[in-house]
Amino acid sequence: MNYSLQDIADCLQLSGKAYGTQPVRYLVTDSRKLIFPEHTLFVAISGTRRSATTYIPELYHRGVRAYLVAESIDTTLYPEAQFLQVPDTVKALQQIAAYHRSRFNIPVIGITGSNGKTIVKEWLYQLLQQDHVIVRSPRSYNSQIGVPLSVWQMNEQHTLGIFEAGISAPGEMERLEAIIQPTLGVLTNIGDAHNEGFSSHAAKLAEKSRLFLHTPVLVAATDHIGTPLHYPGQLVSWGATAENTLQVIQQDIRGAATDITANYQQQEIHFSIPFTDNVSVQNALTCCMVLLHMGYTIAEIQVRIQRLEPVEMRMQLRKAINNCLVLNDSYSNDKVSLALALSFLKQQAGTNPATVVLSDIVQSGQTETELYQDVLELLVKNDIRRLYAIGPAITGYLQHRMQDANRAALPFETMLYPSTEAFLEQGNQSQFQQEYILLKGARQFEFERIAHWLEQQVHQTVLEINLTAMVHNLKTYQSMLAPTTKLMAMVKAYSYGSGSGEVARRLQQQQVDYLAVAYADEGVVLRKAGISLPIMVMSPDEHSFDTMVNYTLEPEIFSFELYQAFERYLQKEGVQQYPVHLKLNTGMNRLGFEPEEINALAKVLQNQQAFVVKSLFSHLVASEDPAQDAFTQQQVAQFTTAANLLEQALGYPFIRHIANTAAIRRNPQYQFDMVRLGIGLYGVDSHAEAQLKLQVVDTLKTTVAQVRQIKSGTTVGYGRKGVVTRNSTIATVRIGYADGYNRQLGNGIGQMYVNGHRAPVIGNICMDMTMLDVTDVPEVKAGDIVEVFGSNIPVQELAEATGTIAYEIMTSVSQRVKRVYYEE
């Protein structure tokens, strides 16, 4: 459905001028996701710290000519652009999407609940896609901004919509209801998520139910709502009691499946769900009820539900062969999710080559020519270097196009394969070298086989790094800063064990102001990963001077000896005005000039041309400890005096910074010009995690290698240190002290999380293995996933048990442990 900019202005009831006929096909709120500038309306949604209008110069340069703004703009700077000015750009975005939705008369399923929204949405897509051309929310686009962007995707080819809606406060759902306008509602459950936004459980249910104000039919899992549901329309429910539309009588786990016995329409029915965990069974039953209401028979549902696959709700970046990284996003394949995945690939790859392995896109609602023309546009706009096309439809289109002498050659290398089998048989792993690879395949193409073929074969212990959680933590601390305060992110020690390049790229995308590393070599790694942010090196030495200058790294100068050595180097190289950072010792007594040396330092700085001072900083010793607040004040006073003396002597301003993670939270008066955010970025901040609602970034996981039964009195492990006092079940897991699991956690000190339960370590920790007593954990088997630390076993708990700090636990994770990066 085509719109002009004038159509959008009319929708928003903007009058007084003509806005022209420029086509608007894409609504973009994130400048990083711009693909087709000539057809894009940029919606400028400002955050608490940064106005979205600051992105307009860059976007204008990239070709965007239509903008929706709330602030006044000097339009003379953008002579070819049109600006639609409204009081609130979020509300205007929602108004545009609601108008767009009103132009379609197709069934739309609206889903809400505390948990399970995305799973139910994706499973309904799997179950119904053979009968419908479906438009659905990409991933978890269920917010006040995500919902309108999701609904905007609707076009004339679609025969069914499936959208999810999430809220965190009263008053939000009514706006989403006006956009989605569901004809069939689904309420998954009501749990504890976002409780802080509501006065009671009943208030939360009432607010979420507003999605169904004008919906004639509601599917609900009444046992998982917790409050009586009063719905005026037709309620299609399932639960354990007889008043439900489907009454679940019995659930029996059989192998990897759950057999359901239920009453439906006064008949006893039987079917099987291919999952055993309670959450998956609940979500699958909700999907079954939707299909029953839509007229599918139990027999049809039974066949389809057996094909359900677990939903991978995050894009994972894994290390692969030949120094490659694989972005495996093959749980779905359509144009919208392809655009999202390509955007993420481009962000992560930076200046590195990007390759796409892409299958046929099934049931798009477009002709193959229209579909793959659009796909090629996406690939070109995202700077793909090479395409591996798999499947008869896409290869047929590309063959025809490449044979057309009137068409320009494709700007990337293209390889065609009729099937996944052909790719695996004919492909050569040596073709993939130091590049980023996106896997995007429809389910029937079984791209998990390609992922396994490409990924490094390492042992099954992985450190998962949640980049979405890291960004959440960053924004949490940014919200405490004054608008003018800069932020330096600490990415030293391999980003606290999380991996430097991938973390730094995400921070650069979030526009932090500075990065800091310990050694020059770490900075080189970041530069080679495409990081252009200024980088401070905190422990430079004479051997690294060449490296720092060659890679534009900014050293910390902490002594006259280092000052003189670097000055001599710069003079020899003929370099002037090189940026440096001066470290002042105010009580840490580790590195830095003494306060009484500032006058002498200022004097030598006045009489040289080699350096320009970018910042003066110091390090707070105990900013997290209220008992040390007087000493913290003393440090700040010394720092302020020194900074004032230095600035007066130099005659120009520089950045001042002393606040670390704890001080950002506890001492906002010490923000100065910049703060340094370290371990808080990774979800750890003394005892403030719950208060700040920080999210876990790092999760260390392993798997069970073997399970054995032993008799009372038997010993376990080296030295016979582990002794069982009852007949016991012992699980050996694939992690040991060579992976960074501290030997002090042996013999019952440490615990791991298995199948929803804690299990104590028994016996001594081995180099590559650890034994757990899982006697009280049900049904543990080889291959089960084990959390070493994460959401269920906080890293602080391991630190306390071993008499150390969370920093040491996180940075001790061995480099042989594979890092897996993902976004939710």
Side-chain angles (χ1 to χ4, degrees):
M1 190 165 288
N2 297 317
Y3 294 94
S4 68
L5 193 58
Q6 184 63 55
D7 293 330
I8 301 296
D10 292 343
C11 166
L12 297 174
Q13 298 179 325
L14 299 177
S15 57
K17 63 172 290 188
Y19 289 93
T21 60
Q22 177 184 332
V24 175
R25 292 177 57 192
Y26 305 97
L27 302 179
V28 171
T29 61
D30 184 339
S31 62
R32 295 165 300 166
K33 293 182 168 58
L34 177 67
I35 301 174
F36 302 106
E38 64 276 10
H39 296 145
T40 290
L41 173 65
F42 177 68
V43 184
I45 300 174
S46 298
T48 54
R49 286 178 46 80
R50 183 175 277 114
S51 169
T53 59
T54 59
Y55 300 105
I56 291 176
E58 174 203 349
L59 290 166
Y60 187 80
H61 178 73
R62 292 167 65 186
V64 177
R65 294 296 181 263
Y67 301 87
L68 182 64
V69 298
E71 303 172 38
S72 295
I73 303 293
D74 183 356
T75 58
T76 61
L77 299 174
Y78 314 102
E80 298 176 9
Q82 290 279 7
F83 292 88
L84 282 65
Q85 188 169 0
V86 295
D88 186 323
T89 52
V90 173
K91 288 182 178 178
L93 172 66
Q94 294 172 343
Q95 188 175 339
I96 294 168
Y99 171 72
H100 180 64
R101 165 68 182 93
S102 69
R103 301 184 69 185
F104 295 89
N105 187 28
I106 63 172
V108 170
I109 302 173
I111 306 170
T112 193
S114 297
N115 305 104
K117 298 182 290 294
T118 302
I119 299 291
V120 168
K121 177 200 69 187
E122 292 301 326
W123 279 355
L124 286 174
Y125 173 75
Q126 291 182 25
L127 293 166
L128 296 169
Q129 64 174 327
Q130 68 189 71
D131 303 321
H132 293 276
V133 178
I134 299 174
V135 56
R136 71 193 194 282
S137 308
R139 300 191 173 275
S140 299
Y141 273 39
N142 57 29
S143 67
Q144 297 292 307
I145 296 171
V147 167
L149 292 178
S150 300
V151 170
W152 178 256
Q153 301 171 101
M154 294 179 78
N155 63 46
E156 295 90 338
Q157 282 80 38
H158 293 126
T159 61
L160 175 66
I162 309 176
F163 302 109
E164 56 176 295
I167 58 170
S168 56
E172 294 182 343
M173 188 60 86
E174 199 159 351
R175 296 198 292 271
L176 301 186
E177 189 275 338
I179 301 167
I180 297 174
Q181 302 169 34
T183 59
L184 172 62
V186 175
L187 181 61
T188 57
N189 56 55
I190 300 294
D192 294 331
H194 302 296
N195 270 350
E196 66 277 4
F198 302 93
S199 59
S200 66
H201 193 91
K204 184 195 292 188
L205 173 61
E207 177 65 24
K208 287 186 178 290
S209 296
R210 297 187 76 80
L211 179 61
F212 316 121
L213 282 174
H214 304 101
T215 306
V217 183
L218 173 63
V219 173
T222 54
D223 286 357
H224 303 283
I225 292 173
T227 300
L229 179 62
H230 303 291
Y231 179 68
Q234 179 186 354
L235 180 62
V236 179
S237 65
W238 69 268
T241 56
E243 62 267 20
N244 287 292
T245 311
L246 184 141
Q247 179 189 9
V248 178
I249 301 171
Q250 189 170 336
Q251 300 182 36
D252 297 308
I253 295 176
R254 179 179 50 80
T258 301
D259 292 336
I260 304 293
T261 302
N263 280 329
Y264 178 67
Q265 295 183 342
Q266 299 181 335
Q267 292 185 2
E268 184 171 288
I269 61 173
H270 303 271
F271 56 96
S272 179
I273 292 171
F275 303 98
T276 57
D277 63 288
N278 288 334
V279 172
S280 296
V281 171
Q282 291 167 18
N283 290 331
L285 281 167
T286 297
C287 292
C288 289
M289 294 308 298
V290 172
L291 266 66
L292 282 171
H293 171 74
M294 294 177 70
Y296 291 87
T297 66
I298 291 293
E300 289 174 316
I301 294 171
Q302 176 66 79
V303 171
R304 295 191 183 198
I305 211 163
Q306 294 309 306
R307 298 197 292 262
L308 281 183
E309 294 184 357
V311 173
E312 184 59 74
M313 292 191 297
R314 57 202 191 188
M315 287 187 273
Q316 295 188 340
L317 197 62
R318 295 180 181 267
K319 289 186 177 179
I321 55 173
N322 306 328
N323 295 316
C324 295
L325 286 161
V326 169
L327 175 59
N328 187 359
D329 189 37
S330 56
Y331 82 95
S332 66
N333 192 23
D334 55 71
K335 254 192 345 185
V336 174
S337 65
L338 175 62
L340 289 171
L342 286 170
S343 174
F344 184 64
L345 176 71
K346 186 175 182 180
Q347 292 168 22
Q348 292 299 315
T351 58
N352 295 290
T355 294
V356 174
V357 184
L358 180 67
S359 81
D360 288 351
I361 296 177
V362 298
Q363 295 195 315
S364 68
Q366 294 179 278
T367 67
E368 288 185 359
T369 298
E370 292 172 334
L371 171 63
Y372 293 113
Q373 280 178 347
D374 290 348
V375 167
L376 282 184
E377 272 194 90
L378 285 171
L379 296 173
V380 170
K381 293 284 187 178
N382 284 280
D383 302 322
I384 299 306
R385 188 192 74 167
R386 187 164 53 193
L387 169 66
Y388 292 86
I390 298 177
I394 189 171
T395 57
Y397 170 80
L398 290 171
Q399 282 174 337
H400 179 74
R401 188 190 185 285
M402 289 187 288
Q403 291 166 2
D404 187 346
N406 297 318
R407 303 289 288 275
L410 293 173
F412 44 76
E413 188 180 356
T414 306
M415 273 70 69
L416 309 180
Y417 300 90
S419 65
T420 301
E421 289 76 12
F423 172 84
L424 293 172
E425 288 172 6
Q426 300 167 27
N428 187 334
Q429 290 180 328
S430 65
Q431 293 175 304
F432 299 93
Q433 297 285 340
Q434 298 182 351
E435 58 196 284
Y436 282 68
I437 306 164
L438 169 64
L439 301 184
K440 204 77 176 77
R443 278 196 309 160
Q444 66 202 58
F445 287 89
E446 299 178 330
F447 267 27
E448 63 272 13
R449 296 164 60 194
I450 299 177
H452 182 73
W453 183 72
L454 286 171
E455 288 177 11
Q456 290 179 340
Q457 300 306 303
V458 296
H459 72 96
Q460 298 176 49
T461 298
V462 298
L463 183 67
E464 293 185 346
I465 296 98
N466 185 337
L467 298 175
T468 304
M470 185 188 70
V471 171
H472 166 86
N473 297 338
L474 171 66
K475 291 182 176 179
T476 297
Y477 285 99
Q478 285 178 325
S479 70
M480 304 177 198
L481 303 180
T484 57
T485 303
K486 299 178 185 294
L487 187 142
M488 173 183 282
M490 311 302 289
V491 292
K492 59 183 181 176
Y494 202 55
S495 291
Y496 293 76
S498 299
S500 52
E502 292 78 6
V503 168
R505 265 191 294 273
R506 201 69 182 93
L507 294 171
Q508 181 166 272
Q509 292 157 15
Q510 293 299 313
Q511 298 190 321
V512 302
D513 301 284
Y514 253 94
L515 299 177
V517 297
Y519 297 101
D521 289 347
E522 295 176 299
V524 172
V525 170
L526 298 184
R527 288 287 184 246
K528 288 183 175 179
I531 303 304
S532 58
L533 286 172
I535 300 173
M536 181 174 77
V537 179
M538 304 187 74
S539 300
D541 57 41
E542 291 188 49
H543 300 292
S544 64
F545 290 168
D546 253 340
T547 298
M548 288 189 294
V549 172
N550 288 338
Y551 287 93
T552 322
L553 307 174
E554 303 175 9
E556 167 190 319
I557 304 296
F558 51 78
S559 69
F560 282 110
E561 292 82 5
L562 183 61
Y563 172 98
Q564 292 160 1
F566 194 44
E567 183 182 34
R568 285 193 300 269
Y569 168 82
L570 293 176
Q571 289 172 344
K572 177 185 173 184
E573 297 296 321
V575 176
Q576 294 188 351
Q577 300 293 295
Y578 197 84
V580 299
H581 303 262
L582 304 179
K583 175 71 173 287
L584 182 70
N585 175 35
T586 57
M588 176 68 79
N589 293 315
R590 184 173 60 182
L591 293 174
F593 292 96
E594 299 301 327
E596 54 268 24
E597 294 178 316
I598 286 297
N599 283 325
L601 178 61
K603 187 174 181 179
V604 297
L605 284 167
Q606 285 176 311
N607 300 311
Q608 57 80 41
Q609 294 297 317
F611 303 142
V612 61
V613 176
K614 290 296 293 289
S615 82
L616 175 74
F617 71 103
S618 189
H619 201 111
L620 295 177
V621 174
S623 58
E624 75 283 354
D625 187 355
Q628 298 295 334
D629 281 350
F631 189 78
T632 298
Q633 292 170 7
Q634 178 183 319
Q635 285 190 275
V636 173
Q638 287 184 319
F639 175 73
T640 303
T641 299
N644 290 339
L645 284 171
L646 189 63
E647 184 169 321
Q648 184 177 4
L650 292 178
Y652 62 83
F654 44 77
I655 298 170
R656 307 177 185 203
H657 52 111
I658 195 171
N660 55 8
T661 294
I664 295 172
R665 171 178 52 85
R666 291 200 64 247
N667 308 110
Q669 69 273 28
Y670 303 147
Q671 289 181 11
F672 290 97
D673 303 308
M674 186 162 69
V675 298
R676 300 188 302 273
L677 178 59
I679 200 165
L681 192 61
Y682 308 96
V684 179
D685 183 358
S686 303
H687 300 289
E689 292 87 355
Q691 173 189 338
L692 296 180
K693 298 182 177 62
L694 298 182
Q695 295 180 3
V696 173
V697 173
D698 290 357
T699 300
L700 182 59
K701 290 181 177 180
T702 188
T703 57
V704 175
Q706 188 178 28
V707 178
R708 61 169 26 86
Q709 308 296 323
I710 63 174
K711 296 186 179 300
S712 177
T714 303
T715 63
V716 177
Y718 285 119
R720 304 192 70 196
K721 296 297 185 182
V723 182
V724 299
T725 58
R726 56 177 176 166
N727 293 342
S728 300
T729 304
I730 305 300
T732 301
V733 299
R734 295 179 170 94
I735 191 170
Y737 59 78
D739 302 297
Y741 194 63
N742 198 309
R743 288 190 79 244
Q744 294 182 57
L745 293 165
N747 300 301
I749 301 299
Q751 296 181 331
M752 298 186 194
Y753 194 74
V754 191
N755 292 352
H757 296 76
R758 287 173 172 252
V761 174
I762 183 168
N764 285 325
I765 308 294
C766 307
M767 179 181 287
D768 308 301
M769 296 286 179
T770 298
M771 284 71 77
L772 304 178
D773 185 344
V774 294
T775 308
D776 298 321
V777 181
E779 298 184 9
V780 177
K781 61 186 181 302
D784 282 353
I785 294 173
V786 179
E787 180 185 301
V788 182
F789 65 72
S791 299
N792 300 292
I793 305 285
V795 67
Q796 298 91 321
E797 182 180 312
L798 272 67
E800 185 176 348
T802 54
T804 185
I805 55 177
Y807 298 75
E808 181 178 347
I809 299 296
M810 295 168 67
T811 57
S812 296
V813 178
S814 166
Q815 290 303 300
R816 80 175 187 180
V817 174
K818 181 164 65 173
R819 270 67 174 173
V820 176
Y821 304 90
Y822 66 91
E823 291 202 7
E824 293 180 335

